[in-house]
Amino acid sequence: MSNFWDGVTGDETKAFAGGFQLIPNNTLAISEIQSFVHATTPQGEAQYEIKWKIIGDEYKNRLLFQKIRAFSSDDNKALRARNMLMLLFNMFDINLPHSGAPQDSDLLDFQGKIASIMIRTWEHEGKSGNWVSEVHPSEYVSPVVSGTIESAFSRNPRSTEPVVNGDIPF
């Protein structure tokens, strides 16, 4: 870039971020792990966080965050979260480095891995958003599946004209 201001006009339409529509509930999307880290909630509870970037069609480049609460005080939630961690290690064929809780350095091998994620919606106190509920191998689904799937059959419906004298109507 020769001039920092090349192509810059200060136009509002180019300066403001557009609003995001929720990704529909039960959408499966091929996504890539951008980061996987050990983090702390605002309440001080440790958890893991994965930043997924959708690489498929309709929602390409959208980011979603998955929280894995492996240290939750709710034993059932913590066990389910540790099972999600183990599923990810197994799915991506990454060896557990030790018997302790994975640290950031143990999670580096996940960066750039691709999987199919199930996206759900949530609503709470007038707010809404998306969350990652399931993770599957990327072969699990075509790039993005939500709503009605368009196919050759839906674009070219069958003719209802009867076949007369063995003539095929095309």
Side-chain angles (χ1 to χ4, degrees):
M1 172 171 34
S2 61
N3 181 344
F4 180 77
W5 299 107
D6 279 348
V8 176
T9 63
D11 182 3
E12 289 178 3
T13 60
K14 296 178 182 177
F16 300 157
F20 285 102
Q21 296 295 321
L22 284 180
I23 296 172
N25 199 37
N26 297 321
T27 296
L28 284 167
I30 301 293
S31 302
E32 178 181 4
I33 294 177
Q34 299 290 297
S35 65
F36 192 165
V37 296
H38 188 265
T40 305
T41 67
Q43 295 77 27
E45 192 171 77
Q47 67 182 12
Y48 295 100
E49 293 179 0
I50 301 175
K51 179 169 46 170
W52 293 95
K53 181 179 180 181
I54 297 176
I55 58 176
D57 307 318
E58 187 176 352
Y59 302 104
K60 188 174 183 169
N61 296 325
R62 291 280 298 270
L63 298 176
L64 288 130
F65 298 88
Q66 180 179 10
K67 295 176 177 147
I68 301 175
R69 295 182 170 102
F71 308 99
S72 174
S73 57
D74 178 331
D75 291 340
N76 289 329
K77 188 182 285 187
L79 184 60
R80 186 172 55 248
R82 288 193 305 273
N83 272 294
M84 174 60 81
L85 276 175
M86 181 63 76
L87 179 142
L88 291 167
F89 273 96
N90 291 339
M91 186 172 69
F92 293 123
D93 200 26
I94 297 173
N95 293 324
L96 290 170
H98 48 74
S99 62
Q103 300 302 310
D104 285 341
S105 59
D106 303 323
L107 304 172
L108 291 174
D109 289 337
F110 285 96
Q111 193 162 357
K113 298 293 185 186
I114 296 173
S116 181
I117 60 173
M118 172 65 75
I119 302 165
R120 308 271 182 166
T121 57
W122 59 266
E123 291 183 21
H124 182 69
E125 297 179 357
K127 296 181 181 179
S128 59
N130 289 119
W131 62 286
V132 177
S133 66
E134 299 175 19
V135 180
H136 301 278
S138 58
E139 308 82 50
Y140 188 75
V141 71
S142 60
V144 173
V145 177
S146 67
T148 305
I149 298 173
E150 186 176 330
S151 71
F153 293 114
S154 63
R155 288 188 305 268
N156 302 303
R158 280 188 140 169
S159 172
T160 57
E161 295 178 30
V163 176
V164 180
N165 298 331
D167 290 336
I168 299 175
F170 51 69

Coordinates of all heavy atoms in Angstrom, one line a residue, residues 85-121:
L85 N -14.2 -32.0 25.2 CA -12.8 -31.9 25.0 C -12.2 -33.1 24.4 O -11.4 -33.1 23.5 CB -12.1 -31.5 26.3 CG -12.1 -30.0 26.7 CD1 -11.5 -29.9 28.1 CD2 -11.3 -29.2 25.7
M86 N -12.5 -34.3 25.1 CA -12.0 -35.6 24.6 C -12.5 -35.9 23.2 O -11.7 -36.4 22.4 CB -12.5 -36.7 25.6 CG -11.9 -38.0 25.2 SD -10.1 -38.2 25.3 CE -9.9 -38.3 27.0
L87 N -13.7 -35.6 22.9 CA -14.2 -35.8 21.5 C -13.4 -35.0 20.5 O -13.0 -35.5 19.5 CB -15.7 -35.3 21.4 CG -16.4 -35.4 20.1 CD1 -17.8 -35.9 20.3 CD2 -16.3 -34.2 19.3
L88 N -13.0 -33.7 20.8 CA -12.2 -32.9 19.9 C -10.8 -33.5 19.8 O -10.3 -33.6 18.7 CB -12.2 -31.5 20.4 CG -13.5 -30.7 20.4 CD1 -13.4 -29.4 21.2 CD2 -13.9 -30.4 18.9
F89 N -10.2 -33.9 20.9 CA -8.9 -34.5 20.8 C -8.9 -35.8 19.9 O -8.1 -36.0 19.1 CB -8.3 -34.9 22.2 CG -7.6 -33.8 22.9 CD1 -8.2 -32.9 23.8 CD2 -6.2 -33.6 22.6 CE1 -7.6 -31.9 24.4 CE2 -5.5 -32.5 23.3 CZ -6.2 -31.7 24.2
N90 N -9.9 -36.6 20.1 CA -10.1 -37.8 19.3 C -10.4 -37.5 17.9 O -9.8 -38.1 17.0 CB -11.2 -38.7 19.9 CG -10.8 -39.3 21.2 OD1 -9.6 -39.4 21.6 ND2 -11.8 -39.7 22.0
M91 N -11.3 -36.6 17.6 CA -11.8 -36.3 16.3 C -10.6 -35.8 15.4 O -10.5 -36.2 14.2 CB -12.9 -35.3 16.3 CG -13.5 -35.1 14.9 SD -15.0 -34.1 14.9 CE -14.4 -32.5 15.4
F92 N -9.8 -35.0 16.0 CA -8.7 -34.4 15.3 C -7.4 -35.2 15.4 O -6.3 -34.8 15.0 CB -8.4 -32.9 15.7 CG -9.6 -32.0 15.3 CD1 -10.2 -31.3 16.2 CD2 -10.0 -31.9 14.0 CE1 -11.3 -30.4 15.9 CE2 -11.0 -31.1 13.6 CZ -11.7 -30.3 14.5
D93 N -7.5 -36.4 16.1 CA -6.3 -37.3 16.2 C -5.1 -36.6 16.9 O -4.0 -36.6 16.4 CB -5.9 -37.9 14.9 CG -5.1 -39.1 15.0 OD1 -5.2 -39.8 16.1 OD2 -4.3 -39.4 14.1
I94 N -5.4 -35.8 18.0 CA -4.4 -35.1 18.7 C -4.2 -35.9 20.0 O -5.2 -36.1 20.8 CB -4.8 -33.6 19.0 CG1 -4.9 -32.9 17.6 CG2 -3.8 -33.0 19.9 CD1 -5.5 -31.5 17.7
N95 N -3.0 -36.2 20.3 CA -2.7 -37.0 21.6 C -2.8 -36.1 22.8 O -2.4 -34.9 22.8 CB -1.3 -37.6 21.5 CG -1.2 -38.7 20.4 OD1 -2.1 -39.4 20.2 ND2 0.0 -38.7 19.8
L96 N -3.4 -36.7 23.8 CA -3.4 -35.9 25.1 C -2.0 -35.9 25.6 O -1.3 -36.9 25.8 CB -4.3 -36.7 26.1 CG -5.8 -36.7 25.9 CD1 -6.5 -37.6 26.8 CD2 -6.3 -35.3 26.0
P97 N -1.5 -34.7 25.9 CA -0.1 -34.6 26.3 C 0.2 -35.0 27.7 O 1.4 -35.4 28.0 CB 0.2 -33.1 26.2 CG -1.1 -32.4 26.3 CD -2.1 -33.4 25.8
H98 N -0.8 -35.1 28.6 CA -0.6 -35.5 30.0 C -2.0 -35.7 30.6 O -3.0 -35.5 29.9 CB 0.2 -34.4 30.8 CG -0.4 -33.0 30.5 ND1 -1.5 -32.5 31.1 CD2 0.1 -32.0 29.8 CE1 -1.8 -31.3 30.7 NE2 -0.8 -30.9 29.9
S99 N -2.0 -36.1 31.9 CA -3.3 -36.4 32.5 C -4.0 -35.2 33.1 O -5.1 -35.3 33.6 CB -3.1 -37.5 33.6 OG -2.2 -37.0 34.6
G100 N -3.3 -34.1 33.1 CA -3.9 -32.8 33.7 C -4.8 -32.1 32.7 O -4.9 -32.5 31.5
A101 N -5.4 -31.1 33.2 CA -6.2 -30.2 32.3 C -5.3 -29.6 31.2 O -4.2 -29.1 31.5 CB -6.9 -29.1 33.1
P102 N -5.8 -29.6 30.0 CA -5.0 -29.0 28.9 C -4.8 -27.5 29.1 O -5.7 -26.8 29.6 CB -5.9 -29.2 27.7 CG -6.8 -30.3 28.0 CD -7.0 -30.2 29.5
Q103 N -3.6 -27.1 28.9 CA -3.2 -25.7 28.9 C -3.1 -25.1 27.5 O -3.2 -25.8 26.5 CB -1.8 -25.5 29.6 CG -1.8 -26.1 31.1 CD -2.8 -25.4 32.0 OE1 -2.9 -24.2 32.0 NE2 -3.7 -26.2 32.6
D104 N -3.0 -23.8 27.4 CA -2.9 -23.2 26.1 C -1.9 -23.8 25.1 O -2.2 -24.1 24.0 CB -2.6 -21.7 26.2 CG -3.8 -20.9 26.7 OD1 -4.9 -21.4 26.6 OD2 -3.6 -19.7 27.1
S105 N -0.7 -24.2 25.6 CA 0.3 -24.8 24.8 C -0.2 -26.2 24.3 O 0.2 -26.6 23.2 CB 1.6 -24.9 25.5 OG 1.4 -25.7 26.7
D106 N -1.1 -26.8 25.0 CA -1.6 -28.2 24.6 C -2.7 -28.0 23.5 O -3.0 -29.0 22.9 CB -2.2 -28.9 25.8 CG -1.2 -29.1 27.0 OD1 0.0 -29.3 26.7 OD2 -1.7 -29.0 28.1
L107 N -3.2 -26.8 23.4 CA -4.3 -26.6 22.5 C -3.9 -26.0 21.1 O -4.7 -25.8 20.2 CB -5.4 -25.7 23.1 CG -5.9 -26.2 24.5 CD1 -6.7 -25.1 25.1 CD2 -6.7 -27.5 24.3
L108 N -2.6 -25.7 21.0 CA -2.1 -25.1 19.7 C -2.3 -25.9 18.5 O -2.6 -25.4 17.4 CB -0.6 -24.7 19.9 CG -0.3 -23.6 20.9 CD1 1.2 -23.5 21.0 CD2 -0.9 -22.3 20.4
D109 N -2.3 -27.3 18.6 CA -2.5 -28.1 17.5 C -3.9 -28.1 16.9 O -4.1 -28.5 15.8 CB -2.2 -29.6 17.9 CG -0.7 -29.8 18.1 OD1 0.1 -29.1 17.5 OD2 -0.3 -30.8 18.8
F110 N -4.8 -27.5 17.6 CA -6.2 -27.4 17.1 C -6.4 -26.3 16.1 O -7.3 -26.3 15.3 CB -7.2 -27.2 18.3 CG -7.4 -28.4 19.1 CD1 -6.7 -28.6 20.3 CD2 -8.4 -29.3 18.7 CE1 -7.0 -29.8 21.0 CE2 -8.6 -30.5 19.4 CZ -7.9 -30.7 20.6
Q111 N -5.5 -25.3 16.2 CA -5.6 -24.1 15.3 C -5.6 -24.6 13.8 O -4.7 -25.3 13.4 CB -4.5 -23.1 15.5 CG -4.8 -21.8 14.9 CD -4.0 -20.6 15.5 OE1 -3.3 -20.8 16.4 NE2 -4.2 -19.5 14.9
G112 N -6.5 -24.1 13.0 CA -6.6 -24.4 11.6 C -7.4 -25.7 11.3 O -7.6 -26.0 10.2
K113 N -7.8 -26.5 12.4 CA -8.6 -27.7 12.1 C -10.0 -27.4 11.7 O -10.5 -26.3 12.1 CB -8.6 -28.6 13.4 CG -7.3 -29.0 13.9 CD -6.7 -30.0 13.0 CE -5.4 -30.5 13.6 NZ -4.6 -31.4 12.7
I114 N -10.5 -28.2 10.8 CA -11.8 -27.9 10.2 C -12.8 -29.0 10.6 O -12.5 -30.2 10.7 CB -11.7 -27.9 8.7 CG1 -10.8 -26.7 8.3 CG2 -13.1 -27.8 8.0 CD1 -10.4 -26.7 6.8
A115 N -14.0 -28.6 11.0 CA -15.1 -29.5 11.4 C -16.4 -28.9 11.0 O -16.5 -27.7 10.6 CB -15.0 -29.6 13.0
S116 N -17.4 -29.7 11.1 CA -18.8 -29.3 10.9 C -19.4 -29.0 12.3 O -19.4 -29.8 13.2 CB -19.5 -30.4 10.2 OG -20.9 -30.1 10.0
I117 N -19.9 -27.8 12.4 CA -20.5 -27.4 13.7 C -22.0 -27.2 13.6 O -22.5 -26.8 12.6 CB -19.8 -26.1 14.3 CG1 -20.0 -24.9 13.4 CG2 -18.4 -26.4 14.6 CD1 -19.5 -23.6 14.0
M118 N -22.7 -27.6 14.7 CA -24.1 -27.4 14.8 C -24.3 -26.1 15.5 O -23.8 -25.9 16.6 CB -24.8 -28.5 15.6 CG -26.3 -28.2 15.9 SD -27.4 -28.2 14.4 CE -27.5 -29.9 14.0
I119 N -25.1 -25.2 14.9 CA -25.3 -23.8 15.4 C -26.7 -23.7 15.9 O -27.7 -24.1 15.2 CB -25.0 -22.7 14.3 CG1 -23.6 -22.9 13.8 CG2 -25.3 -21.4 14.9 CD1 -23.3 -22.1 12.6
R120 N -26.9 -23.3 17.1 CA -28.2 -23.1 17.7 C -28.4 -21.6 18.1 O -27.4 -20.9 18.2 CB -28.3 -23.9 19.0 CG -28.0 -25.4 18.9 CD -29.1 -26.2 18.5 NE -28.7 -27.6 18.4 CZ -29.5 -28.6 18.3 NH1 -30.7 -28.5 18.3 NH2 -29.0 -29.8 18.2
T121 N -29.6 -21.3 18.4 CA -29.9 -19.9 18.8 C -30.3 -19.9 20.3 O -30.7 -20.9 20.8 CB -31.0 -19.2 18.0 OG1 -32.2 -20.1 18.1 CG2 -30.6 -19.1 16.5

